[in-house]
Amino acid sequence: MKPNFTKRKYVIISIFLVIGLVYIARLFYVQVYEDKYILSAQNNVVRKQIIYPSRGLIFDRKGSVLVANDVVYDLMIIPNQLKSIDTNRFCNLLSISKEDFVEYYTKARKYSPYKASLFLGQLPKNEFAYLQEVLYDFPGFYVQKRTLRRYPFPVAALNLGDVGKVNRRDLERDQYYSLADYIGKSGLEKHYEKELRGSKGAEYVMVDVFNRVKGSYKDGRFDTLAVQGKNLYTSLDLELQAYGEKLMHNKIGSIVAIEPSSGEILSLISSPTFDPALLVGRKRGENFYKLVKDSLKPLYNRALMATYPPGSTFKLINALVGLQEKAITTESKFSCNGPISTPIKCSHNHITPLSLVNGIQESCNPYFWETFKSILSNPKYKNTRESYVSWYNIVKSFGLGEKYNTDLMYESRGNIPTAEYFDKLYRGRWNSLTVRSLAIGQGEILTTLIQLANMTATIANRGFYYSPHLVRAIDKPENLTQLAMEKNQVLVDKRHFEKLIEGMEKVTQIGGTAHRAALDSIPVCGKTGTVQNPHGKDHSVFIAFAPKENPKIAIAVVVENAGDYGGTWAAPIASLMMEKYFYGEIKRKNKEKRILEADLIPR
Amino acid sequence: MRQRKSIYHNIDWWLVIMYLLLVFMGLFSIYSAVYNPEHPSLFDRSQRYGSQFVWILTALVIALVILMIDMKFFTSFSYLIYGASMLLLVIVLLFGKEIAGSKSWIDIGGFSLQPAEFAKFATNLALARYLSGLHINLKKPKNVIIAATLLIIPLGLILLQNDTGSAIVYVAFILVLYREGFSGNFLILGFVIAVLFVFTLMVGKYLVLGIIVAITVVLFIITQKARKNLFTLFGMFAIIVAFVFSVDYAFENVLQTHQKTRIEVLLGKKTDIYGAGYNVNQSLIAIGSGGFSGKGFLQGTQTKYKFVPEQSTDFIFCTIGEEWGFIGSTLVIILFMIFLIRLLFVAERQRSAFSRIYGYGVASILFFHLAVNIGMTIGLAPVIGIPLPFFSYGGSSLWAFTVLLFIFIKMDSYRLELL
């Protein structure tokens, strides 16, 4: 008889049950106890897709678009999904070299083999349209829509600023940004970055193992919408800005035009300039390098950053201080001995003695020396130093030697020397003679052109100014900024301005230093300046406002190394600018031609 | 002879119902695993679920046919069926087409068949026939050798097809041999070998050797019996030491690279989740993300979006784990356990040794598939490509399992008519 092994069934059942129990225990661990798999599953499946808002537009004061958006397409790569592709064909499509391909690929792979990274940025629409047709041949690549800046007019590059990829510091400073985002790098783009950028939206989608989108995650419960960037309404006058840039062609210098009643900047020109479109797109890096290397420094905003002694234009301030301090009256007369005057000689041939109006008209150095001397030896004060402090305070109240801190990027402060400075320099022993250069706006005093323009606007306003600024409104044209709501009152009474302005008006009339600045029917008040320049030929400076009553424009012009005094180059440029502003067209073609053809760049 | 009863007479409905339950759960799992919103119909033949549905219907027809065949057919023609099946395996080797590195498919009029699947029931029949012989005793080496030969022939042929998974299944018959009197020491030996193998690879041979030396010394000191049988003790010691050394050698030189990496990944020696470990890692993520109660029918993302490879065939358990969670996957395991124990129970009530042995064969084969397949998806077994019975997509395996099972159900329904 065969032996009976029936009992062995229990062993076999036990084996079955042990395995069953072990598996259930394992399932408990994997499914209930351990959390990491749930997270991994989400990482697998859920992709956060960033929706980029379009950046706010920038308008000029009349509603023309200065900065618009273009849709471009970034070619993204997921290195792991790259199959064997026809590299030659691919490189030809994108017009890149094989070395480029390897370089971009390696870079992307280094960042992450299975996450998307930028392969080639900013494909124009036509390239994208063609690429899209054949992209299925190249698994591992996809295209992401982006907006890029477009400039309908090639003007105001430095004012508008540029947009570029975020750098490490941007990323550290602001959590909003992530790698390959764009950020305003200079100008308004930088100053108003938060307003212009809007806010990114996110869309959570589910993807399959090939990264193909399969649908929204949890019916879009976690999605956020992108908020479009806010528009900027600037005070710039497109036509005036463009015309000024044209006039300044082949000249080094700048023009600032301000609406006196509001402090709004009508044009802010630094020459030489460049087409803002150069800093957009794939050639950006290359072009930027060229601009940096340019010996004429087109990236340097001379209107805001270059500091010059104000020269004779500063005589206006000394006159106002003198009147305010009662050191002189409008009728005070000083004599001029022409070239043999001391301590400052006069190169102009004019009547003598002269009063305030003629002094300004003729820009007479001896007259302003006497004025300055009277200010500093004012019996009101104990000594020169105290008089000087008072002079200093009044000068500073004009916004000279100060930054406005509105929306102008990279302003220079300039310099109005303090009493302490002279104490130190001259070891406490100084008087009006020691600092006599200040009488005619030379010496230690340094101003920027925007400060001169603002000074002009202040005189035009008869004693107050609103800080110069570029943006009037944000988001909607009626949504005015709070930037320059504060009226800055200068320390000179309104009544002292009239005679001064009378003198300024004479400047642009026959016999004045800037008869070239006159307009037929609109009275222009101006003042020339010649700024001595230790490095080369003198700079030509001119400031003006018009009309005399209810001024609409205050302008300051500097042409570096023009070699002549303010009336020769700066005054006609200012005059043409005003003609353009008031009439919209230029009738004085000869005058315009002379400026346009002039090449004043020292070589 | 008694009057012929209806073919449904005496059928074990428990097994049939559980079979149907498993098969249809499988169908819905496949539906969910490869769900295509553009073809939402379960019966869409362009989709895998549509095909599987057709295979289920044909499998039911096959089951019906088996129930109608005279019981004597299987006993009488056991060896013939076995022979035919082995011939088919040879034909596959000669004329089969290669899919994914394995030459295990044969084309019959545009219809692919996997003979290895059918070799299982054929071998089971032949083994049952041989072991039920009156004078067979598995204590006799000759009988053991013949029984082993019956198993080694299909195993070898399938190995030649490069289908390691299907070949390894024949190891399952060790349970049948054990039930029929084969020494239990072999079961223990197999277990010890497996443990030694795993430990040697995990902690290195020198540590394992140290432990063995320590155990031998302790045995020598504390047990009198060990000292009496010095020869046996040192003999075993020598064999184990030799084995440990050969594990390293075998691992490095005998196994193929992908098999090596699979084992290394399983043992946690490699964590290359984008390479060899990808399958297991993704499978664990899918199952693990199901949590306690699962994501719900058609809500699985890992399987549907193809993060899990082979999600409708070898890794079908991932869909269950992900969509039905711990509750669902545990229920599936429990259902399988009840099914297997029911099989053993039914096997034990057979009057004929042939039917009993065949029944044990069915249970062992199903158990082995279940253990390896689910073990693989939860990281407890190396990745061996064998299907989960009744669940995995595929006509050949479903038909083969159906034939395997229903022959046994047929035998069982005859149990009372045998003397």
Side-chain angles (χ1 to χ4, degrees):
Chain A
M1 203 194 132
K2 277 178 118 175
N4 191 339
F5 298 106
T6 311
K7 282 193 176 138
R8 287 191 170 185
K9 72 180 176 196
Y10 296 115
V11 176
I12 294 171
I13 288 176
S14 306
I15 292 173
F16 287 5
L17 289 179
V18 165
I19 292 285
L21 287 174
V22 166
Y23 282 16
I24 288 170
R26 170 73 174 169
L27 282 168
F28 183 82
Y29 172 78
V30 169
Q31 297 188 297
V32 182
Y33 179 76
E34 180 63 81
D35 284 338
K36 72 175 185 192
Y37 297 113
I38 293 172
L39 289 175
S40 304
Q42 277 185 6
N43 289 343
N44 258 348
V45 151
V46 180
R47 289 268 182 289
K48 183 180 174 185
Q49 287 193 333
I50 301 294
I51 310 164
Y52 290 94
S54 53
R55 212 171 158 80
L57 307 181
I58 303 181
F59 294 91
D60 92 330
R61 67 187 295 115
K62 290 172 185 161
S64 301
V65 177
L66 297 176
V67 185
N69 288 319
D70 248 354
V71 174
V72 288
Y73 301 88
D74 281 353
L75 185 62
M76 310 296 284
I77 181 177
I78 300 168
N80 253 7
Q81 292 176 15
L82 208 67
K83 301 278 155 60
S84 55
I85 61 165
D86 184 347
T87 325
N88 276 333
R89 188 173 151 225
F90 193 69
C91 290
N92 285 339
L93 274 174
L94 297 170
S95 42
I96 57 171
S97 70
K98 215 157 184 175
E99 289 75 40
D100 289 340
F101 181 90
V102 173
E103 188 196 322
Y104 303 154
Y105 173 77
T106 317
K107 202 174 148 198
R109 181 150 203 113
K110 222 168 165 186
Y111 168 62
S112 165
Y114 52 97
K115 273 190 193 160
S117 51
L118 183 70
F119 183 78
L120 192 58
Q122 306 169 352
L123 301 175
K125 207 176 282 180
N126 54 340
E127 252 180 63
F128 163 72
Y130 186 62
L131 189 67
Q132 195 185 26
E133 299 286 311
V134 293
L135 204 59
Y136 66 87
D137 273 346
F138 306 101
F141 288 99
Y142 73 97
V143 165
Q144 175 142 38
K145 200 171 134 187
R146 287 265 200 174
T147 57
L148 207 62
R149 287 314 216 184
R150 180 168 60 85
Y151 301 92
F153 309 97
V155 297
L158 288 177
N159 302 335
L160 301 172
D162 62 326
V163 173
K165 285 217 189 72
V166 289
N167 58 31
R168 188 184 296 270
R169 275 180 51 212
D170 298 325
L171 290 172
E172 282 166 9
R173 207 171 17 220
D174 193 337
Q175 295 288 308
Y176 174 84
Y177 299 101
S178 49
L179 214 68
D181 274 0
Y182 290 84
I183 187 172
K185 289 285 186 189
S186 65
L188 292 178
E189 298 276 18
K190 180 170 180 173
H191 193 275
Y192 290 100
E193 167 65 15
K194 284 217 165 92
E195 287 81 3
L196 286 168
R197 76 185 179 193
S199 68
K200 288 184 275 192
E203 197 181 16
Y204 294 87
V205 294
M206 295 196 291
V207 294
D208 69 3
V209 69
F210 306 112
N211 223 12
R212 291 180 302 213
V213 173
K214 286 294 184 182
S216 73
Y217 176 64
K218 302 231 162 151
D219 295 327
R221 205 183 305 163
F222 303 106
D223 293 2
T224 50
L225 288 173
V227 177
Q228 304 303 312
K230 290 174 180 161
N231 295 341
L232 293 186
Y233 296 88
T234 69
S235 57
L236 287 173
D237 182 311
L238 167 63
E239 284 180 49
L240 193 64
Q241 176 79 21
Y243 187 63
E245 289 185 14
K246 196 168 134 195
L247 291 176
M248 289 302 283
H249 187 61
N250 280 333
K251 294 154 200 82
I252 301 172
S254 39
I255 305 175
V256 178
I258 295 176
E259 183 181 71
S261 61
S262 62
E264 291 174 2
I265 295 171
L266 300 169
S267 65
L268 187 78
I269 295 148
S270 172
S271 181
T273 183
F274 58 94
D275 183 348
L278 286 178
L279 294 185
V280 176
R282 274 160 45 198
K283 295 245 190 252
R284 174 186 156 85
E286 196 182 309
N287 288 333
F288 189 79
Y289 184 74
K290 273 187 200 158
L291 290 171
V292 167
K293 287 278 146 186
D294 192 326
S295 64
L296 296 178
K297 297 188 188 165
L299 291 172
Y300 177 64
N301 195 337
R302 288 162 209 279
L304 303 179
M305 299 166 81
T307 58
Y308 317 91
S312 300
T313 58
F314 190 70
K315 289 171 180 168
L316 297 172
I317 301 300
N318 274 336
L320 286 169
V321 178
L323 291 171
Q324 178 69 25
E325 295 283 76
K326 301 196 171 66
I328 58 164
T329 68
T330 52
E331 303 312 318
S332 306
K333 291 201 173 181
F334 298 111
S335 30
C336 169
N337 295 326
I340 55 160
S341 307
T342 51
I344 310 172
K345 60 187 180 182
C346 184
S347 54
H348 303 133
N349 186 18
H350 53 75
I351 52 157
T352 179
L354 25 59
S355 62
L356 177 67
V357 172
N358 300 118
I360 290 169
Q361 183 187 13
E362 301 295 348
S363 195
C364 176
N365 286 347
Y367 177 89
F368 286 97
W369 155 245
E370 294 295 339
T371 304
F372 188 59
K373 196 170 73 177
S374 310
I375 294 169
L376 292 197
S377 51
N378 196 335
K380 233 168 89 181
Y381 301 105
K382 272 193 292 188
N383 52 32
T384 307
R385 196 181 186 283
E386 266 188 34
S387 312
Y388 183 84
V389 169
S390 175
W391 173 88
Y392 175 87
N393 289 337
I394 298 174
V395 171
K396 288 287 270 195
S397 75
F398 280 82
L400 298 170
E402 289 287 353
K403 288 185 185 182
Y404 298 112
N405 291 323
T406 51
D407 49 13
L408 307 166
M409 300 297 280
Y410 322 113
E411 286 174 273
S412 291
R413 183 179 294 280
N415 183 42
I416 305 295
T418 59
E420 287 77 17
Y421 170 79
F422 289 127
D423 289 345
K424 216 173 160 189
L425 188 66
Y426 301 112
R427 305 213 176 126
R429 294 158 60 87
W430 56 280
N431 55 31
S432 52
L433 196 63
T434 335
V435 298
R436 63 185 176 279
S437 306
L438 301 181
I440 56 166
Q442 301 283 355
E444 287 88 350
I445 183 168
L446 290 173
T447 54
T448 61
L449 197 74
I450 188 141
Q451 287 170 0
L452 288 188
N454 185 53
M455 180 186 91
T456 313
T458 311
I459 295 169
N461 287 337
R462 278 82 169 164
F464 68 87
Y465 70 89
Y466 292 103
S467 294
H469 55 280
L470 280 169
V471 171
R472 312 173 63 209
I474 296 172
D475 202 17
K476 287 174 205 136
E478 63 274 14
N479 200 356
L480 298 178
T481 58
Q482 302 295 306
L483 259 183
M485 299 304 266
E486 194 193 341
K487 190 171 178 176
N488 297 283
Q489 202 72 46
V490 299
L491 299 175
V492 176
D493 297 340
K494 193 180 173 194
R495 62 195 157 91
H496 296 308
F497 285 87
E498 287 312 322
K499 274 289 173 193
L500 183 94
I501 289 169
E502 200 181 300
M504 288 175 76
E505 190 180 10
K506 287 224 155 68
V507 168
T508 65
Q509 293 169 351
I510 307 293
T513 52
H515 53 88
R516 283 191 171 107
L519 292 174
D520 340 332
S521 53
I522 299 172
V524 175
C525 306
K527 182 71 195 81
T528 54
T530 307
V531 177
Q532 290 161 14
N533 171 21
H535 308 294
K537 291 203 236 168
D538 292 347
H539 303 324
S540 176
V541 179
F542 185 69
I543 61 168
F545 66 87
K548 186 181 169 193
E549 304 303 327
N550 289 322
K552 294 285 180 244
I553 182 170
I555 191 166
V557 179
V558 60
V559 184
E560 289 186 15
N561 310 112
D564 276 300
Y565 77 106
T568 323
W569 297 109
I573 289 173
S575 177
L576 286 167
M577 286 291 281
M578 288 189 281
E579 186 178 357
K580 181 79 181 173
Y581 186 64
F582 286 120
Y583 303 115
E585 54 173 0
I586 302 298
K587 289 218 177 80
R588 299 173 296 171
K589 293 289 178 195
N590 282 337
K591 197 173 204 126
E592 184 185 40
K593 193 167 170 244
R594 172 176 171 261
I595 299 295
L596 290 178
E597 284 175 357
D599 184 345
L600 302 175
I601 296 177
R603 299 183 211 257
Chain B
M1 265 291 174
R2 262 176 266 176
Q3 180 77 43
R4 254 272 171 86
K5 298 264 171 61
S6 141
I7 56 164
Y8 304 117
H9 183 71
N10 270 336
I11 275 192
D12 190 77
W13 287 107
W14 283 108
L15 287 178
V16 175
I17 286 165
M18 280 193 280
Y19 163 82
L20 290 173
L21 217 54
L22 290 169
V23 162
F24 279 98
M25 281 166 76
L27 177 63
F28 283 108
S29 300
I30 292 167
Y31 181 70
S32 194
V34 294
Y35 176 69
N36 181 346
E38 285 163 29
H39 300 270
S41 166
L42 183 61
F43 313 114
D44 192 323
R45 279 232 52 197
S46 69
Q47 302 299 314
R48 286 203 157 180
Y49 30 88
S51 308
Q52 183 75 0
F53 184 71
V54 172
W55 280 319
I56 289 174
L57 292 184
T58 44
L60 293 179
V61 172
I62 290 171
L64 217 60
V65 170
I66 288 171
L67 291 180
M68 288 189 294
I69 292 172
D70 193 300
M71 167 65 200
K72 289 197 191 74
F73 174 82
F74 298 109
T75 35
S76 318
F77 293 110
S78 292
Y79 290 135
L80 202 65
I81 294 170
Y82 179 77
S85 170
M86 294 308 112
L87 194 65
L88 219 53
L89 287 177
V90 174
I91 290 172
V92 165
L93 272 179
L94 297 177
F95 308 108
K97 63 174 175 181
E98 202 171 304
I99 294 175
S102 298
K103 203 172 184 182
S104 47
W105 296 82
I106 202 165
D107 250 338
I108 305 167
F111 185 79
S112 291
L113 215 68
Q114 207 178 353
E117 292 295 336
F118 298 95
K120 288 169 197 164
F121 89 85
T123 306
N124 197 19
L125 275 176
L127 188 71
R129 174 72 192 271
Y130 178 71
L131 292 182
S132 59
L134 273 176
H135 304 290
I136 301 300
N137 183 347
L138 285 176
K139 299 275 188 234
K140 288 192 252 174
K142 186 190 160 203
N143 294 161
V144 173
I145 288 167
I146 292 175
T149 309
L150 283 175
L151 300 177
I152 285 168
I153 292 171
L155 192 150
L157 286 171
I158 294 168
L159 265 183
L160 285 177
Q161 296 171 8
N162 208 7
D163 185 358
T164 324
S166 300
I168 281 180
V169 169
Y170 290 85
V171 171
F173 284 105
I174 233 174
L175 288 178
V176 181
L177 297 181
Y178 170 72
R179 169 63 185 83
E180 296 307 313
F182 190 52
S183 167
N185 288 343
F186 287 94
L187 268 186
I188 295 164
L189 188 70
F191 181 73
V192 169
I193 285 174
V195 168
L196 274 178
F197 183 79
V198 166
F199 267 88
T200 309
L201 290 178
M202 271 176 87
V203 300
K205 58 186 168 198
Y206 295 107
L207 192 57
V208 173
L209 283 179
I211 293 167
I212 292 164
V213 170
I215 291 172
T216 314
V217 170
V218 169
L219 280 177
F220 181 75
I221 294 168
I222 62 166
T223 65
Q224 250 190 338
K225 202 177 169 189
R227 254 172 301 191
K228 276 182 190 160
N229 297 315
L230 261 187
F231 184 73
T232 322
L233 183 69
F234 286 108
M236 273 173 68
F237 175 74
I239 290 169
I240 289 173
V241 169
F243 176 76
V244 168
F245 272 103
S246 66
V247 164
D248 246 14
Y249 178 83
F251 188 73
E252 292 302 329
N253 301 299
V254 177
L255 289 178
Q256 292 178 22
T257 321
H258 73 275
Q259 292 165 334
K260 248 163 58 182
T261 32
R262 279 175 185 177
I263 291 171
E264 280 174 337
V265 166
L266 179 74
L267 296 179
K269 292 184 80 180
K270 267 192 182 171
T271 47
D272 173 21
I273 57 165
Y274 296 104
Y278 178 84
N279 293 3
V280 177
N281 186 53
Q282 291 297 339
S283 159
L284 275 171
I285 287 173
I287 294 173
S289 68
F292 184 73
S293 53
K295 298 176 185 172
F297 186 53
L298 291 184
Q299 300 304 308
T301 51
Q302 305 301 304
T303 46
K304 205 161 42 178
Y305 297 154
K306 303 184 179 58
F307 289 96
V308 178
E310 306 291 336
Q311 77 275 39
S312 65
T313 54
D314 293 349
F315 283 90
I316 189 69
F317 191 72
C318 294
T319 303
I320 300 161
E322 191 183 6
E323 298 197 343
W324 303 112
F326 176 67
I327 294 178
S329 36
T330 302
L331 271 176
V332 168
I333 290 180
I334 289 173
L335 183 59
F336 263 116
M337 285 297 141
I338 295 172
F339 187 70
L340 290 175
I341 291 167
R342 177 77 198 168
L343 274 173
L344 294 190
F345 172 81
V346 173
E348 286 293 344
R349 77 181 177 195
Q350 302 304 310
R351 290 185 191 174
S352 94
F354 177 77
S355 303
R356 181 184 69 238
I357 296 165
Y358 185 85
Y360 265 86
V362 174
S364 302
I365 290 170
L366 291 178
F367 169 72
F368 191 85
H369 277 89
L370 176 82
V372 171
N373 182 283
I374 295 181
M376 150 184 105
T377 63
I378 57 178
L380 289 181
V383 177
I384 293 170
I386 58 174
L388 183 61
F390 312 126
F391 275 77
S392 289
Y393 168 82
S396 287
S397 74
L398 179 64
W399 287 0
F401 286 125
T402 304
V403 171
L404 184 73
L405 175 68
F406 275 85
I407 290 176
F408 181 57
I409 290 175
K410 175 75 184 172
M411 288 175 181
D412 175 57
S413 68
Y414 260 64
R415 67 186 184 276
L416 298 174
E417 297 174 29
L418 293 168
L419 289 173

